Amino acid sequence: MSTLLERLRQETRPLHEQTEQLLYAEALRAGTLTAPEYVHLLRIHLAFHRALEQAIDRYPIFFRDYEAVNRRKAPWLESDLTYLSEAHPPGLPELFADWSPAELLGAAYVGEGSMLGGTVVWKLLQQNPALQPLLTPARFYQGYGPATGRYWRDFGLFLTQQAVAEPDEVVSGAQRAFKAYQVLFWATQFSAGPD
């Protein structure tokens, strides 16, 4: 019998791969990501993480052991965009408005997984000479730094404990979260409105 983390990995793989391709994976690997594409990535992540963090805050008891304050990524993204003098995408509190705590846990799986992927992206970004001037104070893709592995393991324990009663909802939430990333790709591409 597979663990929930293994099930999440298997059952979200197609959506994960589709989303990764949409989010400039080929350009990242080839070292050809442009500055506007980098900014677009930051905007997508900010829209996702800000909405997710606001939704998680609505369920303080369920997420008590999640360490929500230490896991906030929206401030890092806001700082990165501000440094680049780029507008923040409009807030999207409705993105996770009707999600149950278990579905939000699935979305948090996707958000925390982005920190693991971010360590790879950070190395790829640093190898791209065109982006070097933008990365000096960049924060988001550095994630939790050397503590990334520990944060992921702690999250895995939290997820496993919290999802006992509703594993199907957690998986559904993770799948919906990858679809939300795909929607945000198009929603943030050309918008340049204020916060």
Side-chain angles (χ1 to χ4, degrees), residues 19-145:
T19 305
E20 209 172 66
Q21 288 308 306
L22 191 61
L23 300 184
Y24 306 113
E26 288 181 29
L28 277 163
R29 283 192 286 271
T32 59
L33 190 77
T34 65
E37 289 168 341
Y38 171 67
V39 168
H40 185 209
L41 284 174
L42 295 176
R43 292 169 58 79
I44 294 165
H45 285 297
L46 176 55
F48 180 89
H49 287 289
R50 186 166 46 194
L52 179 59
E53 289 163 11
Q54 290 169 352
I56 284 173
D57 286 347
R58 293 194 310 262
Y59 299 100
I61 294 171
F62 185 89
F63 285 96
R64 179 178 51 238
D65 296 327
Y66 173 65
E67 301 179 73
V69 172
N70 295 334
R71 293 179 182 276
R72 294 198 189 283
K73 296 152 197 74
W76 301 342
L77 288 152
E78 290 165 355
S79 174
D80 288 353
L81 285 166
T82 299
Y83 173 77
L84 299 172
S85 301
E86 293 288 341
H88 299 181
L92 297 169
E94 70 281 1
L95 189 63
F96 298 105
D98 63 342
W99 292 40
S100 71
E103 289 172 315
L104 290 172
L105 185 55
Y109 163 82
V110 174
E112 289 303 307
S114 74
M115 293 294 90
L116 290 176
T119 61
V120 175
V121 171
W122 179 242
K123 290 175 187 166
L124 293 172
L125 290 171
Q126 290 178 309
Q127 295 169 11
N128 183 334
L131 299 181
Q132 288 303 306
L134 311 182
L135 300 179
T136 303
R139 180 65 185 83
F140 174 69
Y141 283 111
Q142 294 185 57
Y144 304 123

